[in-house]
Amino acid sequence: MADRRSTTEMSNGTEPRERDVVALAVMINRMEGVVRKMTNTLFRTARSTVLNTARDFSCCVVSANHELLAMGESLPIHVISGPDLISRWLTELHHDLRRGDAFLHNSPYHGNSHAGDHCIVVPVIDEQGVHRATALVKAHMADIGNSEPTTLTATARDVYEEGALIFPCVKIQEGYRDIGDVIRMCETRIRVPEDWYGDYLGMIGAARVGEREMLRIGEEVGWDAFERYVADWLDYSEERIRATIRTLPAGRRTGYDIHDAVPLRGVENGVQLQATVTVDPSAGVIEIDLRDNPDCLPCGINLTQSTSQTGALIGVFNSIDHTLPRNTGSARAINILLRENCCMGIPVHPASCSMATSGLSERLAGIVQRTLAEFQDGIGMASTGPECPPATAGLSGRDPRNGNARFVDMMILGNSGGAGHPHGDGWLTNGETSDGGSMMRDSTEVLELLRPIRVWSDRIVPDTEGAGRFRGAPSLYVEYGPVETELEVLYAADGTVNPALGTRGGESGALVRPFMRKADGEIVALQAWTRVVLEPGETIVSISSGGGGYGPPVERDPDHVRRDVLEGWISEQRASAVYGVVLASDGSIDLEATAARRAALAEGDDGSAATRLEDSVMRLLEPGVRLWPTRGPTA
């Protein structure tokens, strides 16, 4: 029989001890099962489409010592860092945790991602009253009582103008019963209280499932075995990542990017960002220094402590061995240097962090993964497209099919193009760097059934990818509008000026481009950060950003270029001008012409004059072309 034991040297330098690898594997799987049950509970019971269709929520389990243990298929921006901080605040603010307690938390100053993410935090208390773990559910709510009907208020100058109620680990259940005062505060402030309460019940249910399953583990295997799992799992994860870092080249590099301007004084010229990445293979450590960035900004794009840490961690995890566990153990090898009152650091009240899970966090992850790519070909990634075009807007209005009832929700359709990486092309439906592909796109049919909305078009825009040896994903064209009612649309797009950058010779992706089609067919360009009220017959046209490319485009496999042309991702013109691949009339590769074209590109003819990204977009926006009557369709 094979030996089921291994030894591990603790990170604190203590003597090695034996590890039961079979028991560890069983517990790892069982803990992931706990999180899957939590996830399925909320996915099947939530009321808002942003949760029950797009799945913009996360579940995890944290140890009593504030260590992330299991996150399942959660969104990385929600849980890689944050639950550990929230767990610390919970024990600092509440010294007598009891079974049956539950806490509502969304404070950006106490470890949360941003105010729009409501958390239900449930301490797991054993029969002796000992705190053993914490089950945490985090969900991006459709409405939180902001000054405008959206949870993403980029132009809020501070948390007061943002307008949300802030709950720093506020007890919302005691003895498994709701505390009515807190519930009434939420219902009074929130525009669609029945939707919020439905989502709250789903979150409570998911957290209680996590509590139940954790107590079952304690009963069946014993809490001593659970504690051995915690130590072994985190130490194993630390060993894995340090071994990976030891294979990387040593060095220090600083990467840069620019977030688009916000229409407020002090941010009107954009935000210059940087991160210094140091790789120390001998110590098995990566250090990311974010301290040399601007102070907190007078708008809602500041990062929280959790999203600053997580954005950097995502950039690292995206860049190296994808099989590494994502937990507190692996994070021990990544030192992130932050400072207070920094836009990518630790915010100081009353700085607004309304957009902390997008915007700067996306730029930060991109900087880190592009900078790591500079160390060595075969690691790192390009930047994913900047996010939050109008296809991910906050939507509100009244539904004439439902007694003119008010609705507030968030659309999640074409968001941004995935980044090219050393092993493949960018993911078309990536969504954003921060969700790691875990968040789903809305179902067009479900969205149209639940809201008085019609999605007229959802398609790829050719020639918008960041070209590269492995290309970024292209832009997405989404056009939608109201059905026999007004529709208020609020969005805050980054990427209309500064695109997703490529790396190692890869090119940038296309820009975000928002438009409105008036009832007479006229096309009007919209601002990047705005509120629009659509009348029947009017539509929003959302062009998302394309992802950056990895490696020189002329190194792309010619057959991959040929297939991109045949499938409509790029034009023959772009194939020749940018990738140096010439196709014959029958669609095959003209080998002689391709060799000549690539040689010309190598001599400096970049073919930029023949690369017409604007045309590929405008061909879809011909004024006066309509697919429906001017008055709009009937329900």
Side-chain angles (χ1 to χ4, degrees), residues 517 520-523 618 620-626:
R517 191 191 300 271
D520 62 3
E522 179 187 3
I523 299 295
M618 294 309 294
L620 303 176
L621 288 172
E622 296 177 5
V625 175
R626 304 195 56 78

Side-chain angles (χ1 to χ4, degrees), residues 232-500:
D232 288 346
W233 177 224
L234 298 180
D235 287 338
Y236 165 79
S237 302
E238 181 182 358
E239 292 166 14
R240 285 281 315 278
I241 193 169
R242 290 192 189 277
T244 298
I245 294 171
R246 290 188 180 103
T247 68
L248 302 179
R252 174 178 297 176
R253 296 173 182 267
T254 300
Y256 303 89
D257 206 344
I258 302 176
H259 187 285
D260 286 0
V262 180
L264 290 172
R265 183 177 180 183
V267 214
E268 65 271 24
N269 295 317
V271 186
Q272 297 187 28
L273 307 167
Q274 69 178 65
T276 298
V277 179
T278 303
V279 178
D280 184 350
S282 61
V285 171
I286 293 175
E287 179 185 274
I288 301 170
D289 191 346
L290 303 180
R291 294 173 295 182
D292 195 15
N293 280 295
D295 289 345
C296 282
L297 304 164
C299 64
I301 67 173
N302 298 293
L303 297 189
T304 60
Q305 181 178 355
S306 70
T307 52
S308 296
Q309 294 178 171
T310 302
L313 289 168
I314 289 171
V316 173
F317 286 132
N318 281 356
S319 299
I320 55 179
D321 185 354
H322 70 279
T323 67
L324 292 171
R326 272 67 164 163
N327 59 32
T328 296
S330 51
R332 292 171 183 165
I334 306 170
N335 298 330
I336 303 169
L337 305 180
L338 306 177
R339 67 176 176 87
E340 286 192 344
N341 193 37
C342 178
C343 69
M344 292 204 306
I346 304 172
V348 175
H349 188 277
S352 174
C353 305
S354 184
M355 301 280 295
T357 57
S358 54
L360 295 190
S361 66
E362 293 289 299
R363 296 283 182 177
L364 170 56
I367 294 172
V368 172
Q369 57 203 36
R370 288 198 330 274
T371 303
L372 282 167
E374 294 175 5
F375 280 78
Q376 177 179 294
D377 201 348
I379 63 173
M381 289 180 71
S383 284
T384 292
E387 60 170 326
C388 296
T392 60
L395 306 177
S396 60
R398 295 190 177 275
D399 191 343
R401 306 168 305 174
N402 188 26
N404 220 30
R406 188 169 193 177
F407 67 90
V408 179
D409 215 334
M410 185 175 180
M411 171 185 283
I412 304 290
L413 281 176
N415 194 357
S416 63
H421 55 88
H423 311 293
D425 296 334
W427 191 353
L428 177 64
T429 57
N430 173 84
E432 55 192 18
T433 309
S434 59
D435 71 40
S438 297
M439 193 165 68
M440 299 181 182
R441 300 175 84 239
D442 280 339
S443 161
T444 296
E445 292 77 9
V446 171
L447 185 65
E448 292 177 341
L449 284 171
L450 294 178
R451 306 299 181 201
I453 296 166
R454 187 66 46 83
V455 179
W456 292 105
S457 183
D458 187 355
R459 66 178 79 172
I460 292 170
V461 184
D463 293 349
T464 53
E465 86 297 348
R469 180 197 312 150
F470 291 105
R471 57 165 173 74
S475 300
L476 298 176
Y477 176 111
V478 175
E479 184 166 359
Y480 65 92
V483 177
E484 294 300 326
T485 188
E486 288 185 347
L487 179 67
E488 185 172 356
V489 179
L490 292 113
Y491 66 91
D494 181 27
T496 62
V497 176
N498 298 288

Side-chain angles (χ1 to χ4, degrees), residues 53-76:
T53 305
R55 215 181 81 163
D56 192 354
F57 69 85
S58 299
C59 302
C60 66
V61 176
V62 183
S63 76
N65 290 322
H66 323 300
E67 300 148 323
L68 175 64
L69 301 175
M71 59 177 278
E73 295 183 357
S74 295
L75 280 61

Side-chain angles (χ1 to χ4, degrees), residues 11-269:
S11 60
N12 59 10
T14 59
E15 290 297 317
R17 60 180 176 78
E18 289 189 348
R19 174 191 297 152
D20 187 331
V21 294
V22 174
L24 176 58
V26 170
M27 280 297 298
I28 290 170
N29 187 66
R30 184 155 186 182
M31 290 295 294
E32 289 296 309
V34 171
V35 176
R36 282 195 296 270
K37 290 179 180 179
M38 296 168 67
T39 299
N40 288 336
T41 299
L42 183 52
F43 192 40
R44 293 174 181 274
T45 59
R47 184 168 298 186
S48 301
T49 61
V50 69
L51 303 184
N52 64 29
T53 305
R55 215 181 81 163
D56 192 354
F57 69 85
S58 299
C59 302
C60 66
V61 176
V62 183
S63 76
N65 290 322
H66 323 300
E67 300 148 323
L68 175 64
L69 301 175
M71 59 177 278
E73 295 183 357
S74 295
L75 280 61
I77 195 67
H78 280 171
V79 295
I80 288 184
S81 179
D84 55 331
L85 302 173
I86 294 169
S87 176
R88 291 181 187 278
W89 277 108
L90 176 66
T91 55
E92 181 169 330
L93 297 174
H94 299 275
H95 303 296
D96 184 21
L97 298 174
R98 298 186 179 186
R99 187 179 291 188
D101 287 348
F103 300 84
L104 174 62
H105 181 82
N106 74 331
S107 174
Y109 315 108
H110 299 83
N112 197 34
S113 39
H114 68 143
D117 288 332
H118 278 194
C119 302
I120 296 297
V121 187
V122 170
V124 178
I125 310 295
D126 69 12
E127 293 294 339
Q128 287 70 46
V130 178
H131 180 202
R132 295 293 185 176
T134 300
L136 188 144
V137 177
K138 178 180 290 191
H140 189 171
M141 311 305 283
D143 185 40
I144 56 170
N146 270 2
S147 56
E148 294 182 313
T150 177
T151 56
L152 302 174
T153 311
T155 54
R157 292 172 295 178
D158 53 34
V159 71
Y160 304 115
E161 189 167 333
E162 191 178 329
L165 290 170
I166 303 297
F167 297 98
C169 290
V170 172
K171 187 182 289 188
I172 198 166
Q173 279 194 342
E174 187 171 11
Y176 295 100
R177 293 183 177 274
D178 285 348
I179 296 175
D181 292 344
V182 180
I183 300 294
R184 285 191 296 274
M185 288 174 66
C186 293
E187 290 179 329
T188 302
R189 177 70 180 181
I190 291 170
R191 295 170 178 84
V192 282
E194 65 282 356
D195 286 358
W196 174 85
Y197 190 65
D199 292 337
Y200 161 75
L201 290 176
M203 294 173 69
I204 280 286
R208 292 302 183 193
V209 165
E211 176 193 35
R212 181 194 68 195
E213 295 301 309
M214 290 302 301
L215 290 172
R216 185 174 294 170
I217 287 174
E219 292 171 0
E220 294 179 3
V221 306
W223 291 113
D224 288 344
F226 173 74
E227 294 300 332
R228 285 195 297 273
Y229 147 76
V230 171
D232 288 346
W233 177 224
L234 298 180
D235 287 338
Y236 165 79
S237 302
E238 181 182 358
E239 292 166 14
R240 285 281 315 278
I241 193 169
R242 290 192 189 277
T244 298
I245 294 171
R246 290 188 180 103
T247 68
L248 302 179
R252 174 178 297 176
R253 296 173 182 267
T254 300
Y256 303 89
D257 206 344
I258 302 176
H259 187 285
D260 286 0
V262 180
L264 290 172
R265 183 177 180 183
V267 214
E268 65 271 24
N269 295 317

